[in-house]
Amino acid sequence: VCTSRFWFNYRHVANTLSVYRSVKRLGIPDSHIVLMLADDMACNPRNPKPATVFSHKNMELNVYGDDVEVDYRSYEVTVENFLRVLTGRIPPSTPRSKRLLSDDRSNILIYMTGHGGNGFLKFQDSEEITNVELADAFEQMWQKRRYNELLFIIDTCQGASMYERFYSPNIMALASSQVGEDSLSHQPDLGIGVHLMDRYTFYVLEFLEEIHPASQTNMNDLFQVCPKSLCVSTPGHRTDLFQRDPQNVLITDFFGSVRKVEITTETLSLDRDVAGFEPKFPEEELATEPLKYAEQLPVAQIIHQKPKQKDWHPPGGFILGLWALIIMVFFKTYGIKHMKHVF
Amino acid sequence: VASVQVQLVVPMAVVFGPGSVPGDLPRPLPFRDVQEMEISVNLRSSVTARYEMLYRSTTGQEEAALAAATAREADAALHPLQDTTLGSLTTYVVPETSSLLPQGINVYVGKHRSALVRAGGSLAALQARLREVTQVMSFTASSIAAALSDRVPDGQLSPDARRYLKSSLGYEITFSLLNPDPKSHTVDWDIEGAVNRYVKPVLDKLSLVANFSVDSQILYYAVLGVTPRYDKESSSFLLSAHSLPHVINPVEARLGSSAASLYPVLNFLLYVPERSHSPLYIQDKDGAPVSTNAFHSPRWGGIMVYNVEAPASPQASLPLHVDVDMARVMEVFLAQLRLLFGLSREEVPPEFLLESPGNEGLADWELDHLLWAHTVENIATVSTTLTSLAQLLDKIGNIVIKDDVASEVYRAVASVQSAVTELSLGHLHAAFQASKEAVTSSERAFFDPSLLHLLYFPDDQKFAIYIPLFLPMAVPILLSLVKIVRETRQRKKEPTKMD
């Protein structure tokens, strides 16, 4: 998830797309990835190289490419949509690619980047998500067993505050900086004119370049990525909610997709001389009357609808009490004889 | 609803054929007996199994049927005379010396819901065998625990307990033909005919469990992600067992699935290797080639490698026309479908003989096996969902619950209660239908889009908003209150002063 928009936040989009590329390279297909981007970089009028997003200076690697599948783009990246994807409370008309169809055997990797603060993460410069809301969303996922294990990586300023409030089991969290520290960006590119990546994600990607689908590297190595000398901020991690020892957790458990397979040793014995079911042509289904266009919106009804009468509710206790106090004080202070002036 | 207390009642009839009645019966036939078995899951949930057994002797027609030559014929003859309600079992006891059962076999399990058991001499030995029969034909403690795997603490489960397909209202089955080398092979597969002839009977039998939809596709230039190794001794290419997990992912990106349906998808892939990599065999862990040349992944589907024979003459014109033997392919795919659902015949005691289900794909008692597991799983899912929904609504007081959400919740509670009642009466079919309705209602209520809570205000934000508004307003009020109190005190002192 990239939670920023506008040209000067180029590095957040490059961060997200680079992690997306790594995850695809290690085997996770697009049908299993939900990518939320503001997607205003590649075709931005200020982009000197249109239709590209570079993650390294000298423009070595175009992470935008031609097979990026963005599921939520532009103004669809909101806190509400993000929480809907996580908890599954999605309107029934949402297509399959925009849903998180995980079950109790799924390992989920969540990577978020953008601008953040102590306890919140800013979404598209107009709203924010707090760490409590995020923790509650994860608890909702756990209640419905929508994940087996969850890895949460966040690359923002004061990122460690976002995982402080988690309380559901089987969650491991990594952040690029502690509370009170800022996450810094890596290097600007003079040709494009903006910073291309953040330091923490840059070093995480260097680490991931060496991982291939069969590698046995474990999580402890990921915790060592980007020490303070390189990153300037202190990356943090949280493993107390996780049941397994991070030593035994493979990187490919989250970043790649290695399935359990079993050799099939049984066969069914079928009788070959069996006549199949002839598919009956359902004659009664042939349209007997001309098909009419179904009214999607009852426009006539909507236009002529009277505004709904809102039920009147008496004012609540707090307001009544406040007004009673004000009136009582006024008349006590200035005397009852002023009433006739009021009325 | 939070704790699951379920009683599974299995109606059983034990029918004694002539000459098989043990000498130590407590009462004369016919009589009823009840055996209970406790399957405790965790501290709050428990499942008890209750076998209501009716011991009786054979009727004339049953005697005639048991006089058949082989067990299979006897089973076929007995089928119309049996109780065919879902979940029930009928066991026919034959004398120890009977030749109906082959040598060394003590129990024959038929295609429907009956078994032929050899008498064991005493009632206790017979009951031990009957217990084994019920373990095979209805449910075991581990199959119920696997269905309730959400609630069982992790340490107590066997490692592969959670690999079967979860209970769902429907499944989508996709058959795909992968042809990576269309220049060398033109592959023709009559998938429509094969589905009609072999797959539809199995799916019709399973239609009680869920809705199935079937589609098929052909993918060209789809390669496996792994390069097979050439083996000089067998002059064939081999895929070792530890490279199999990496085969699926590169292909999955191209498989696609229906955008409209949200049901779990089962993919069955038939891979015709390239000419340069033919023949291709799959090796198991010991290095021996697998007879089916297929492997499957739990909750995903299966892949089978179909080798094309090399052409008779090396100068044969390419592309070669290949007509796929659909029967052989479907034998493997349907076996994989059974394994994905958890219907395996491997853990059967050695003195049992199981009748093959033939083209129907699964025996009636295997269908019961699935229904027991799915009903219990549905009931557990509904109770967890409703409990967590109640907790959510308790914690966040200002979520508005719409009327239709409330009615779904009521419907879910009523359905789950009726499911538990039906289970305790032994009506498996009614219980399963009620549990399906309960799951539908509870999922609809839990995942209703209107229940999203976005109104979290931390305390410091509340102060930051209200103080600038109320503090200036409160200052004159407080000062006036102070003035009032002072005046009242002064007035109280004055009367005494005036005197």
Side-chain angles (χ1 to χ4, degrees):
Chain A
V1 177
C2 166
T3 60
S4 322
R5 64 185 300 115
F6 306 130
W7 174 248
F8 46 82
N9 290 322
Y10 188 101
R11 59 190 185 283
H12 297 141
V13 173
N15 286 351
T16 317
L17 284 173
S18 314
V19 175
Y20 170 77
R21 290 255 160 248
S22 300
V23 148
K24 269 179 83 159
R25 179 179 61 82
L26 289 171
I28 303 189
D30 272 313
S31 55
H32 289 234
I33 302 179
V34 174
L35 180 61
M36 302 175 78
L37 285 183
D39 205 12
D40 58 349
M41 297 303 155
C43 299
N44 197 303
R46 293 165 75 169
N47 191 348
K49 304 273 176 195
T52 60
V53 173
F54 290 107
S55 68
H56 199 276
K57 72 174 183 198
N58 303 329
M59 302 190 210
E60 281 170 12
L61 180 61
N62 174 15
V63 287
Y64 201 66
D66 51 5
D67 62 341
V68 166
E69 190 184 290
V70 181
D71 299 304
Y72 286 85
R73 60 160 37 96
S74 189
Y75 292 105
E76 292 171 354
V77 181
T78 57
V79 173
E80 180 183 337
N81 280 347
F82 177 61
L83 291 180
R84 282 196 191 282
V85 166
L86 285 184
T87 54
R89 298 206 163 97
I90 275 189
S93 55
T94 321
R96 210 179 161 108
S97 60
K98 282 186 161 180
R99 290 181 188 248
L100 180 64
L101 295 169
S102 57
D103 60 16
D104 62 320
R105 302 303 289 152
S106 309
N107 285 354
I108 302 185
L109 164 71
I110 299 183
Y111 173 83
M112 301 184 76
T113 182
H115 289 289
N118 189 355
F120 66 92
L121 175 59
K122 189 167 72 160
F123 260 70
Q124 304 240 342
D125 228 10
S126 66
E127 49 182 2
E128 57 192 34
I129 184 173
T130 54
N131 49 7
V132 176
E133 281 177 333
L134 195 57
D136 284 342
F138 286 161
E139 175 65 14
Q140 291 286 294
M141 288 173 80
W142 174 250
Q143 292 280 330
K144 237 2 212 136
R145 299 297 185 273
R146 278 164 71 78
Y147 68 88
N148 175 36
E149 290 172 345
L150 198 139
L151 176 63
F152 178 75
I153 304 184
I154 184 160
D155 187 353
T156 64
C157 306
Q158 310 196 48
S161 64
M162 286 308 282
Y163 62 63
E164 272 172 5
R165 300 290 200 117
F166 293 164
Y167 55 95
S168 318
N170 287 352
I171 300 184
M172 198 190 306
L174 279 117
S176 61
S177 54
Q178 302 292 333
V179 174
E181 286 180 349
D182 288 337
S183 266
L184 300 180
S185 59
H186 188 53
Q187 44 180 210
D189 179 295
L190 297 174
I192 297 184
V194 282
H195 287 259
L196 290 186
M197 272 198 98
D198 280 332
R199 285 177 187 241
Y200 182 70
T201 309
F202 183 80
Y203 290 108
V204 166
L205 279 156
E206 260 189 15
F207 172 79
L208 287 177
E209 289 296 313
E210 289 151 35
I211 309 286
H212 54 91
S215 74
Q216 300 289 311
T217 334
N218 59 40
M219 279 294 166
N220 275 342
D221 303 324
L222 187 58
F223 295 156
Q224 309 300 332
V225 158
C226 205
K228 196 167 165 119
S229 52
L230 287 174
C231 253
V232 185
S233 56
T234 324
H237 55 91
R238 180 178 176 178
T239 53
D240 58 316
L241 295 166
F242 207 74
Q243 276 174 15
R244 291 193 288 159
D245 186 10
Q247 184 91 16
N248 302 329
V249 180
L250 297 178
I251 300 284
T252 50
D253 278 354
F254 290 100
F255 284 91
S257 173
V258 181
R259 296 176 190 264
K260 286 203 166 25
V261 294
E262 292 168 14
I263 306 279
T264 311
T265 45
E266 297 183 8
T267 50
L268 207 57
S269 59
L270 290 174
D271 180 12
R272 289 160 192 236
D273 303 319
V274 126
F277 293 175
E278 293 306 323
K280 299 187 276 290
F281 290 100
E283 277 157 34
E284 58 276 9
E285 281 187 29
L286 292 174
T288 47
E289 47 174 72
L291 299 168
K292 294 197 294 271
Y293 178 73
E295 274 292 322
Q296 301 280 345
L297 292 173
V299 176
Q301 277 182 29
I302 294 176
I303 291 177
H304 298 295
Q305 208 176 39
K306 301 231 178 340
K308 240 193 302 209
Q309 299 282 17
K310 283 227 169 74
D311 294 330
W312 178 80
H313 296 283
F318 179 66
I319 303 286
L320 269 180
L322 196 62
W323 277 106
L325 182 64
I326 292 174
I327 289 179
M328 190 194 76
V329 168
F330 175 76
F331 284 116
K332 195 67 188 133
T333 317
Y334 297 105
I336 218 87
K337 62 183 189 286
H338 286 273
M339 271 257 273
K340 64 176 193 289
H341 294 290
V342 168
F343 290 106
Chain B
V1 179
S3 58
V4 173
Q5 309 278 357
V6 168
Q7 195 184 52
L8 303 172
V9 169
V10 182
M12 261 187 80
V14 182
V15 182
F16 290 98
S20 65
V21 182
D24 53 345
L25 285 180
R27 294 187 283 281
L29 294 173
F31 66 94
R32 288 185 185 274
D33 189 20
V34 169
Q35 285 194 359
E36 296 213 356
M37 190 174 75
E38 172 97 15
I39 308 171
S40 75
V41 175
N42 61 25
L43 289 170
R44 286 184 313 163
S45 316
S46 72
V47 177
T48 41
R50 195 182 145 93
Y51 299 98
E52 292 180 349
M53 314 176 65
L54 163 67
Y55 294 89
R56 63 176 173 85
S57 46
T58 48
T59 63
Q61 287 174 317
E62 289 170 342
E63 262 186 59
L66 281 174
T70 63
R72 189 180 303 173
E73 291 172 20
D75 189 52
L78 285 168
H79 174 56
L81 307 167
Q82 277 167 22
D83 180 14
T84 50
T85 50
L86 267 69
S88 64
L89 291 178
T90 319
T91 39
Y92 298 94
V93 187
V94 293
E96 241 180 291
T97 50
S98 161
S99 59
L100 205 51
L101 300 173
Q103 269 291 3
I105 298 291
N106 288 335
V107 178
Y108 167 85
V109 177
K111 278 204 287 196
H112 304 288
R113 295 185 171 90
S114 63
L116 301 175
V117 177
R118 203 189 286 273
S122 65
L123 185 62
L126 178 66
Q127 283 185 338
R129 271 201 199 133
L130 287 179
R131 223 168 295 138
E132 282 189 337
V133 168
T134 54
Q135 296 276 344
V136 167
M137 288 179 77
S138 60
F139 48 82
T140 60
S142 59
S143 73
I144 298 294
L148 290 172
S149 59
D150 283 351
R151 294 163 159 257
V152 175
D154 247 344
Q156 290 180 20
L157 271 184
S158 59
D160 48 19
R162 284 193 274 182
R163 63 191 167 138
Y164 304 135
L165 285 169
K166 285 185 80 82
S167 157
S168 162
L169 293 166
Y171 300 94
E172 211 189 291
I173 298 185
T174 307
F175 292 104
S176 310
L177 173 66
L178 301 180
N179 187 356
D181 198 6
K183 288 202 272 284
S184 311
H185 301 130
T186 324
V187 187
D188 241 333
W189 72 337
D190 178 24
I191 185 68
E192 224 179 304
V195 164
N196 277 338
R197 220 175 304 137
Y198 303 120
V199 179
K200 266 221 178 356
V202 179
L203 294 184
D204 281 342
K205 191 106 187 246
L206 282 172
S207 62
L208 206 57
V209 177
N211 295 330
F212 287 90
S213 71
V214 180
D215 16 74
S216 68
Q217 62 181 339
I218 304 184
L219 290 176
Y220 294 105
Y221 294 106
V223 289
L224 300 180
V226 180
T227 321
R229 214 173 31 89
Y230 184 68
D231 182 45
K232 278 209 201 68
E233 292 164 10
S234 53
S235 62
S236 60
F237 288 86
L238 296 175
L239 268 180
S240 59
H242 63 81
S243 60
L244 292 177
H246 306 296
V247 164
I248 297 180
N249 283 319
V251 182
E252 171 139 34
R254 314 223 5 226
L255 282 177
S257 50
S258 155
S261 122
L262 294 171
Y263 292 147
V265 181
L266 301 177
N267 294 296
F268 293 101
L269 272 55
L270 185 66
Y271 182 74
V272 179
E274 305 115 312
R275 195 102 192 283
S276 51
H277 283 151
S278 291
L280 179 62
Y281 294 107
I282 297 178
Q283 260 183 335
D284 62 16
K285 280 192 281 292
D286 310 317
V290 175
S291 58
T292 56
N293 222 9
F295 64 97
H296 61 276
S297 178
R299 296 200 189 180
W300 183 80
I303 299 186
M304 177 177 173
V305 178
Y306 188 86
N307 286 314
V308 175
E309 275 136 31
S313 61
Q315 282 87 22
S317 66
L318 299 174
L320 298 167
H321 185 84
V322 180
D323 252 321
V324 176
D325 179 6
M326 294 308 295
R328 181 158 74 92
V329 166
M330 281 304 166
E331 282 181 349
V332 174
F333 281 162
L334 291 174
Q336 287 178 335
L337 180 68
R338 280 171 49 104
L339 289 171
L340 288 170
F341 270 105
L343 301 171
S344 153
R345 289 186 167 204
E346 303 215 320
E347 295 141 15
V348 167
E351 68 238 17
F352 274 59
L353 174 63
L354 299 176
E355 175 69 46
S356 143
N359 279 36
E360 283 203 318
L362 61 162
D364 285 349
W365 54 270
E366 289 179 312
L367 181 65
D368 286 353
H369 205 104
L370 265 184
L371 288 177
W372 287 115
H374 281 199
T375 311
V376 175
E377 189 185 333
N378 286 346
I379 292 177
T381 312
V382 171
S383 69
T384 337
T385 309
L386 290 177
T387 319
S388 71
L389 184 60
Q391 279 173 354
L392 167 72
L393 297 175
D394 265 342
K395 202 165 73 137
I396 300 167
N398 44 10
I399 282 190
V400 173
I401 305 171
K402 297 194 306 196
D403 282 337
D404 50 352
V405 173
S407 67
E408 293 288 351
V409 171
Y410 287 137
R411 199 180 316 159
V413 171
S415 301
V416 82
Q417 281 170 343
S418 111
V420 171
T421 323
E422 296 286 356
L423 274 182
S424 64
L425 294 173
H427 304 146
L428 180 57
H429 190 180
F432 180 68
Q433 301 291 354
S435 72
K436 265 208 303 200
E437 270 180 42
V439 166
T440 320
S441 297
S442 68
E443 300 277 305
R444 229 181 273 152
F446 189 88
F447 286 119
D448 191 83
S450 69
L451 290 179
L452 193 70
H453 165 241
L454 283 179
L455 300 173
Y456 171 72
F457 292 122
D459 287 332
D460 46 358
Q461 277 190 17
K462 282 199 197 112
F463 282 133
I465 292 173
Y466 288 124
I467 284 185
L469 189 62
F470 286 123
L471 197 59
M473 208 163 70
V475 165
I477 294 182
L478 279 172
L479 289 178
S480 312
L481 278 171
V482 164
K483 189 155 170 261
I484 291 170
V485 165
R486 234 185 276 150
E487 269 181 18
T488 329
R489 257 196 231 143
Q490 253 183 4
R491 221 178 295 135
K492 272 209 197 123
K493 279 194 211 137
E494 252 164 51
T496 54
K497 252 174 53 178
M498 295 264 281
D499 273 359

